[in-house]
Amino acid sequence: MAERVDPLTKTLRSDEGVLRLAHGLALSERFHFYLLVCETPRVASAALDVLAVEVAAAREEPVRLVRIDPHSAHAALDRPIPFDLLAEQVLARLVSPAPDERAPGVIFVVDASRALTQDDEGWSQLFQRLNEQRNGIAKALAGPLVLVVPGRLEAAFAHGAPDFWSIRSLAVVVDAPPGVKPEAVEPAEERRERLVEPAPERAWSAAEIEAEVAAARVRLAEAPEDESALSSLIVWLGRQVQHEMDRGTLDRALRAAEESLLLERRQAEKHPGRVEWLHDLSLSLDNAGDVYRARGDLERALTAYDESLSLRRRLLALDPARPEWLRNVAVSLDNVGDVHSALGDLERAIMAYDESLSVVRRLLALDSARPEWLRDLSVSLDNVGHVHRSRGNLERALAAYDESLSLRRRLLALDSARPEWLRDLSSSLNNIGNVHRSRGDLERALTAYDESLSVVRRLLALDSARPEWLRDLSVIFDNVGDVHRSRGDLERALTAYDESLSLRRRLLALDPARPEWRHDLAASLSQHAITAEAAGRPADALSFWRAALDELDDLTRRPAPLEAWNTAAATCRAEISRLEESLQPHDARRSDPPPA
């Protein structure tokens, strides 16, 4: 059967501009930059199809065309594409391509053909960043780069990236041939409903990341003043931090986070007025704070988060209406509130959370349907709910949790398979179950916990070894066990506690020094102790209390132990003393009177 060829593609096979560009790409044995101007995505796709065929024919070998279309990862299609997404999808990819994308035969294509006028601001910002990173991109790519833009963005690129513009080897304009109908503009409501699945994030192995970090260090050593080499190293260190945090290996995460932070500080000191370096420094401070908090070093975490918040307030003062800077301030306030809450300073925690809540509501006044801002609002509501619950105000806690749950169900209606939104839903259900349990409504508590349990099991079907999901599961099992114990069903309670204990031992095997997980294990052992005694097995209860104290003693001997660890250890000692006395034979406990 003869191959069916799209009429537009067939026409472009004889287009002079497309053929000149194909000839240039075929001869490019190292980095060269080309510009392809197409007014519609349809013309752009057809032109790229022709280029792939023509270059392969000229080279007499297959050609790999790596097409980066950031609009495929932009879910809210009727909203402007944010600069942060463009930087993540385009800039980071060009500065640090995958190892298999560095072959001379690879052609990178950055496709902006789907950009609408509302997206021009984000693309203009990206063009400026591309201009700053020109040298680094030229070194990172072994083959040619093609930028595909509509005509109006060609002018924006020339203005925003003059250095990049100056190195172009060829600029080609491809118009739709006569007789080809222009593409209809999709109505906004249809664009809203037609969500595009985000492009899956590249899964890097530990060995790949280490190799890229090492290579980036070499490039920086060879050219210490090359900002693109420095940026590349910082990008890879950031990936290493996240990778090690996901694996639970906090010592390695800490080394990467502190190295990245040191490099960011040096760069910010060299360019004190450059807003992008201040922004990047705030991100590195957040990463460092996350690692410190996971290690139980809350004072250092608070110092890092406070500095990040200060930088973000400084940036926001330059442009008080800039959405991404407003959002960054809200994130920092949540981080600061989390640490104050963990330290037991509920007044300062609620002050931070309330301010974060007001900032996010201000964002949603600009766009009430923006998914990431709706999620931010749900997080702030959860945080406020936690403080109200800690203070004993269960009605206000439940109101905050209910509003958060409603938002999370709304988000999942947009994308029912998105892992972070599924985890958010599980967390909200768990929070609501906790309030119902505190109010004595055990049936409603168990209903919420059961739904939360099913959501986490759904997540673990995607990745059965994800540490944070395993911990979520252990927390829910503890809560389910508490409900069964309150109802007097000790066997079902022990079954749930056994599941939790097994999960926590599995997590601790990944990182035996992680404070949070040691405290979790002690909590599970304590639950077993209480239930064993209630079931008439005091000797078993004593063994569990002693095992819990062993874990807590290790924590309380660390520098600046949390008050919660000291309190839990004191409880264990009191219970051990009580049980030891009760288990002694009666005669051994009776004191003989002193001799006359």
Side-chain angles (χ1 to χ4, degrees), residues 510-522:
L510 299 176
D511 186 356
R514 185 154 180 174
E516 179 187 24
W517 294 350
R518 294 194 82 85
H519 184 262
D520 285 347
L521 179 58

Side-chain angles (χ1 to χ4, degrees), residues 25 69 119 188 191 195 343 358-359 374 379 384 393 462 508:
L25 289 169
D69 177 8
D119 303 318
R191 289 170 66 83
L195 296 176
L343 289 168
S358 68
V359 172
L374 290 172
V379 170
V384 169
N393 194 333
L462 304 174
L508 203 56

Side-chain angles (χ1 to χ4, degrees), residues 268-565:
E269 288 169 1
K270 288 173 61 178
H271 305 284
R274 289 266 290 273
V275 295
E276 63 269 21
W277 285 110
L278 293 176
H279 172 261
D280 291 348
L281 176 57
S282 75
L283 293 177
S284 284
L285 285 162
D286 274 1
N287 284 340
D290 292 344
V291 180
Y292 292 139
R293 180 158 45 137
R295 289 167 58 91
D297 193 343
L298 297 185
E299 292 299 335
R300 292 182 75 185
L302 185 58
T303 299
Y305 290 146
D306 273 337
E307 186 179 353
S308 175
L309 177 59
S310 176
L311 288 171
R312 288 170 173 178
R313 290 193 192 279
R314 179 178 163 189
L315 289 171
L316 189 60
L318 300 175
D319 187 353
R322 188 162 173 174
E324 62 265 37
W325 289 353
L326 278 167
R327 188 183 184 218
N328 286 342
V329 167
V331 170
S332 282
L333 287 165
D334 280 335
N335 289 335
V336 168
D338 289 345
V339 178
H340 283 310
S341 181
L343 289 168
D345 191 342
L346 298 184
E347 286 302 320
R348 295 179 73 178
I350 196 66
M351 286 176 60
Y353 292 148
D354 279 342
E355 186 180 353
S356 174
L357 198 59
S358 68
V359 172
V360 177
R361 292 195 190 280
R362 181 178 164 191
L363 279 171
L364 285 166
L366 304 174
D367 183 349
S368 62
R370 188 78 171 260
E372 61 267 35
W373 298 347
L374 290 172
R375 182 183 184 271
D376 290 344
L377 179 59
S378 75
V379 170
S380 293
L381 287 164
D382 269 1
N383 289 334
V384 169
H386 297 335
V387 176
H388 288 316
R389 181 168 173 253
S390 296
R391 290 170 153 181
N393 194 333
L394 300 182
E395 293 307 317
R396 293 186 70 181
L398 187 59
Y401 290 150
D402 274 336
E403 186 178 353
S404 174
L405 178 62
S406 175
L407 289 167
R408 288 170 173 180
R409 291 196 190 280
R410 176 180 169 187
L411 286 170
L412 278 169
L414 300 176
D415 185 350
S416 61
R418 190 157 173 173
E420 61 267 35
W421 292 354
L422 283 168
R423 190 183 184 210
D424 287 344
L425 175 63
S426 170
S427 176
S428 281
L429 290 163
N430 202 43
N431 290 334
I432 285 174
N434 289 340
V435 175
H436 286 315
R437 180 158 54 93
S438 296
R439 298 169 75 192
D441 192 341
L442 300 184
E443 286 301 323
R444 293 181 73 181
L446 194 58
T447 298
Y449 292 147
D450 282 343
E451 185 180 355
S452 179
L453 201 61
S454 68
V455 174
V456 177
R457 290 192 188 282
R458 182 177 167 190
L459 283 170
L460 286 166
L462 304 174
D463 183 351
S464 62
R466 188 78 172 259
E468 62 267 34
W469 298 347
L470 291 171
R471 184 180 184 272
D472 291 346
L473 188 61
S474 75
V475 169
I476 302 168
F477 273 128
D478 267 359
N479 291 335
V480 169
D482 290 346
V483 172
H484 289 313
R485 192 177 71 205
S486 297
R487 299 168 83 180
D489 193 341
L490 300 183
E491 289 305 315
R492 293 182 73 180
L494 280 173
T495 298
Y497 292 147
D498 280 339
E499 291 274 9
S500 174
L501 184 61
S502 175
L503 288 165
R504 288 172 173 176
R505 283 181 168 146
R506 176 179 169 187
L507 283 169
L508 203 56
L510 299 176
D511 186 356
R514 185 154 180 174
E516 179 187 24
W517 294 350
R518 294 194 82 85
H519 184 262
D520 285 347
L521 179 58
S524 279
L525 291 164
S526 299
Q527 300 287 30
H528 272 76
I530 295 169
T531 310
E533 186 172 5
R537 303 199 307 273
D540 290 343
L542 180 60
S543 296
F544 281 122
W545 282 122
R546 286 170 173 165
L549 183 59
D550 286 343
E551 302 298 333
L552 291 166
D553 274 343
D554 179 69
L555 291 176
T556 57
R557 285 192 291 266
R558 296 181 179 214
L562 298 183
E563 187 57 35
W565 302 345

Side-chain angles (χ1 to χ4, degrees), residues 26 52-64 104-106:
V53 172
E54 295 296 327
V55 173
R59 291 183 178 178
E60 298 183 345
E61 61 183 11
V63 170
R64 183 179 174 191
V106 173

